[in-house]
Amino acid sequence: MTLINLPRGGSERHWARALLVVLASLTLAATFSAPAGAVPSYARQTGSECAACHVGSFGPQLTPYGIAFKVGGYTDTDGQGTKVPLSAMAVANWTHTAKNLPEAPEHFSDNNNAALQEASLFLAGRLTEHVGSFVQATYSGVDRKTFLDQLDVRYARTLAIGEQQGVVGLSINNNPTLTDPFNTLAQWRFPYTASDFGFGTGPAPLVESLGGSVIGVNAYTLWASNFYAEVGAYRALSSGSVNWMNTGQVATQTVDPGKFSGVGTYWRLAYYKDMKRDNFNVGVFGFNAGVQSAEDPSSTDRYQDIGIDASYQFLGTREHIFTANASYVWERQKLDYSHDVLGAADNAKDRLNTFRLATSYTYEQTWGATLGLFNSRGTADSGLYGSVSYNDRPNTAGYILQADWTPWGKEGSWGAPWANARVGLQYTGYTRYNGGSHYIDDVNGSDRKASDNNTTMLFIWLAI
Amino acid sequence: MNRNRFAIITALIAGGLILAAGRQALAGGDARRGADVFAEECGDCHSKIPGRSKKGPTLTSVVGRKAGSVADFSGYSEAMKDSGIVWTVEKIDAYIAAPRKVVPGGKMKYDGLADAAARADVIAYVMTLQ
């Protein structure tokens, strides 16, 4: 069950509260849902325009050029002197939901909220010949907190064995999917920004729920330009560390932050082919971890995540760009702690399957349209979901439509590479929420339709 | 003075011959198609704006230029600077067909363009970047 994507308002917040009790062992720490990926310091470093690395002239959807830059450890440069690896980013939005939120978030209303959702500072770029960074500190204007958002510090170099050569690297990071070079896994997939006043995209597997609450070391390679492989080991941060970085909404004295039994293991294999005109990737990935209560490590909830993913980009001359990104993740949960000890889960074993798809079209690297689909299905478990679901299932499904305009970021653009902006309109529609077309609003003790959560967001995203 | 004038005239004639030879060699190349090839294959690293370098050096007036010699571009590999190449149309064609074969140890991260017609087109386009 995800915590990283939990919204700040609405009935899901109460669902989250219930789950924080039920899944105390899983509450390693929650992070804020934050986009990450508009980093003009990389453009200044490479001498390339944003459009070289990103579809639509704005992060985070990577082109093959951007993939090579990331795999290369963020160190590539145009050789024109040392550049300061600093960038800043801000996202402001206005959000309307079809029916008022079950309760107004602190400092805001129960509908039609405008907010500076986040303002971020990046340490992003080449530090030495072989070491580069992507580190993001963020102020959330909704939660009124500043926290360490993303951390990825890499060492990378080319390696030749006989006739073959590739890039090999190491990463220290705080999120299992942050390191991935494709836009199919949790951290980097559509939607690239979402409102904190919205209702999310449903429950997510553990591998997608750990941002900011773990620290890991990964080894990776992109070999012969085609084969991507990565393995990583993660430890949960202590509650003291989480509090120090202020990443945990739940890292308080009243909530058990949880910890891993041993290490969480992440693995990833993908075949990637860049034909210049177009490119694709097909891959598999997985994450395994045992999660214990920090205060009562007598037993463990075990999570096994296995996923498949695929992506395709038609880039052509960059006048008309089409992309498609998809993933499917199977999660097996063995809830020895939550079921046997806590008695909160009805079942000793549960499953959660999630499907995500996004297709986009971009014209002249400026005008973009994206359709996203999300679908999460899980085992019926009245202990876990009964308070918010009529059928005891967490099933949530819907679609996201987005239209956006990115005026700059191309070669010769005004203010390049400093001025970068995206303005967009995003609509999220729900066909199922917490099990069906209706669910239980446990804040008000009333029925609520899934479509009541339909969310319209107007946003402006700036980066410098 | 006369010696300088002779040198200038000689350089102009040589330049003209190189340009003419290049254009003749590119008789089959279509610069308009080449613009699309450039956008698909080269544009991430090389600018189409005359005189501007990006990750790769400017390609303006590349024919007749000594490899690794763009003064304000410092991203060359030692292999490129030491290659002794003076770019002709034929040499450019061979290079973009198989970069690592022509300049072993070069930095250009490009596997090569196998289509000879596309190479002729893109070279014809690059020749227009004046």
Side-chain angles (χ1 to χ4, degrees):
Chain A
M1 178 55 55
T2 183
L3 291 170
I4 189 174
N5 290 323
L6 290 176
R8 308 305 174 258
S11 64
E12 195 172 273
R13 183 175 223 180
H14 293 268
W15 182 31
R17 284 179 188 160
L19 288 169
L20 289 177
V21 176
V22 172
L23 300 178
S25 64
L26 183 53
T27 56
L28 291 164
T31 61
F32 304 88
S33 61
V39 190
S41 59
Y42 291 151
R44 293 188 280 275
Q45 174 180 310
T46 61
S48 297
E49 62 279 5
C50 298
C53 282
H54 296 294
V55 171
S57 310
F58 206 93
Q61 193 170 192
L62 293 178
T63 65
Y65 188 86
I67 288 171
F69 178 75
K70 181 173 182 177
V71 170
Y74 314 109
T75 59
D76 218 353
T77 171
D78 62 0
Q80 305 295 306
T82 302
K83 308 289 169 50
V84 178
L86 293 175
S87 278
M89 180 182 89
V91 181
N93 57 28
W94 173 85
T95 306
H96 169 79
T97 48
K99 185 179 177 181
N100 290 352
L101 300 173
E103 70 174 343
E106 190 178 4
H107 309 298
F108 292 92
S109 305
D110 57 9
N111 211 337
N112 303 317
N113 285 303
L116 172 65
Q117 182 159 301
E118 68 170 285
S120 294
L121 186 66
F122 294 90
L123 175 66
R126 178 187 175 103
L127 303 179
T128 72
E129 182 181 359
H130 295 293
V131 177
S133 68
F134 175 83
V135 180
Q136 179 184 13
T138 296
Y139 168 75
S140 167
V142 176
D143 294 286
R144 312 287 169 94
K145 288 182 178 179
T146 302
F147 57 101
L148 178 63
D149 196 346
Q150 307 291 348
L151 170 73
D152 180 12
V153 179
R154 294 183 173 217
Y155 171 87
R157 66 182 308 143
T158 56
L159 178 69
I161 300 177
E163 295 290 305
Q164 297 287 338
Q165 72 171 23
V167 178
V168 296
L170 289 171
S171 163
I172 297 173
N173 63 86
N174 69 346
N175 187 349
T177 59
L178 177 66
T179 52
D180 203 64
F182 308 108
N183 290 92
T184 49
L185 308 190
Q187 178 57 40
W188 298 114
R189 70 186 174 203
F190 182 80
Y192 308 121
T193 183
S195 174
D196 281 356
F197 302 105
F199 288 79
T201 52
L206 183 65
V207 66
E208 301 180 4
S209 313
L210 298 171
S213 63
V214 295
I215 189 79
V217 178
N218 299 29
Y220 69 91
T221 182
L222 178 60
W223 193 255
S225 303
N226 295 131
F227 299 97
Y228 183 79
E230 181 176 352
V231 292
Y234 288 85
R235 294 296 300 266
L237 293 171
S238 67
S239 57
S241 300
V242 171
N243 276 324
W244 180 74
M245 293 185 291
N246 202 15
T247 62
Q249 293 168 282
V250 296
T252 68
Q253 293 181 339
T254 57
V255 178
D256 182 352
K259 66 174 186 175
F260 283 158
S261 168
V263 295
T265 54
Y266 174 75
W267 57 271
R268 172 82 160 120
L269 293 170
Y271 178 78
Y272 161 63
K273 180 78 171 174
D274 174 20
M275 290 86 72
K276 295 294 179 185
R277 185 180 176 84
D278 57 354
N279 65 84
F280 71 88
N281 141 66
V282 291
V284 293
F285 61 98
F287 187 79
N288 296 287
V291 182
Q292 298 174 328
S293 163
E295 296 174 356
D296 179 16
S298 58
S299 67
T300 301
D301 286 346
R302 298 210 70 85
Y303 295 81
Q304 285 186 308
D305 298 343
I306 292 179
I308 56 174
D309 70 299
S311 65
Y312 174 79
Q313 294 180 343
F314 173 83
L315 299 173
T317 64
R318 278 56 169 176
E319 182 180 8
H320 304 283
I321 295 177
F322 299 91
T323 71
N325 298 303
S327 67
Y328 197 100
V329 184
W330 294 266
E331 179 172 83
R332 291 196 300 180
Q333 307 166 351
K334 190 167 178 295
L335 305 173
D336 289 352
Y337 177 73
S338 295
H339 176 262
D340 299 347
V341 177
L342 208 59
D346 272 5
N347 306 322
K349 295 179 181 178
D350 277 339
R351 288 178 178 270
L352 178 66
N353 299 335
T354 55
F355 169 70
R356 301 292 291 269
L357 171 69
T359 62
S360 73
Y361 167 71
T362 306
Y363 177 65
E364 293 282 12
Q365 296 272 41
T366 301
W367 304 93
T370 306
L371 164 65
L373 300 175
F374 55 91
N375 192 335
S376 295
R377 292 171 176 269
T379 311
D381 191 315
S382 62
L384 293 181
Y385 312 117
S387 64
V388 292
S389 173
Y390 289 117
N391 60 10
D392 300 330
R393 292 182 183 275
N395 299 359
T396 295
Y399 56 91
I400 303 171
L401 303 170
Q402 180 174 308
D404 50 64
W405 174 58
T406 307
W408 305 311
K410 279 79 70 176
E411 187 174 18
S413 287
W414 175 82
W418 297 89
N420 298 280
R422 170 169 287 177
V423 178
L425 182 64
Q426 185 186 94
Y427 181 80
T428 304
Y430 295 88
T431 55
R432 281 200 305 272
Y433 195 84
N434 287 357
S437 59
H438 288 248
Y439 70 101
I440 301 166
D441 170 2
D442 63 333
V443 177
N444 301 302
S446 59
D447 176 79
R448 188 173 171 97
K449 292 188 290 185
S451 59
D452 289 341
N453 298 342
N454 292 358
T455 303
T456 304
M457 176 182 71
L458 179 65
F459 68 88
I460 181 167
W461 190 351
L462 306 170
I464 187 168
Chain B
M1 188 69 174
N2 285 341
R3 188 175 295 173
N4 286 343
R5 186 178 298 167
F6 176 76
I8 291 169
I9 291 171
T10 303
L12 287 173
I13 290 172
L17 287 172
I18 289 170
L19 201 58
R23 293 193 191 287
Q24 190 170 359
L26 290 166
D30 183 324
R32 281 183 299 181
R33 286 200 304 263
D36 287 348
V37 177
F38 185 89
E40 291 180 1
E41 302 281 334
C42 318
D44 286 342
C45 296
H46 292 282
S47 177
K48 62 184 178 184
I49 298 173
R52 182 171 187 266
S53 294
K54 292 167 60 177
K55 181 74 176 70
T58 177
L59 298 177
T60 303
S61 304
V62 63
V63 175
R65 181 201 301 166
K66 184 178 181 300
S69 67
V70 173
D72 62 352
F73 180 76
S74 56
Y76 290 116
S77 63
E78 291 302 315
M80 179 63 80
K81 288 191 285 191
D82 296 341
S83 67
I85 292 172
V86 176
W87 293 115
T88 62
V89 168
E90 292 75 16
K91 205 67 180 177
I92 295 171
D93 183 67
Y95 183 61
I96 61 177
R100 294 185 193 98
K101 193 172 176 183
V102 175
V103 184
K107 278 186 180 175
M108 191 163 85
K109 293 172 181 172
Y110 185 60
D111 293 331
L113 181 59
D115 185 337
R119 293 200 303 272
D121 290 341
V122 77
I123 293 171
Y125 172 71
V126 167
M127 297 283 286
T128 68
L129 300 177
Q130 301 295 334

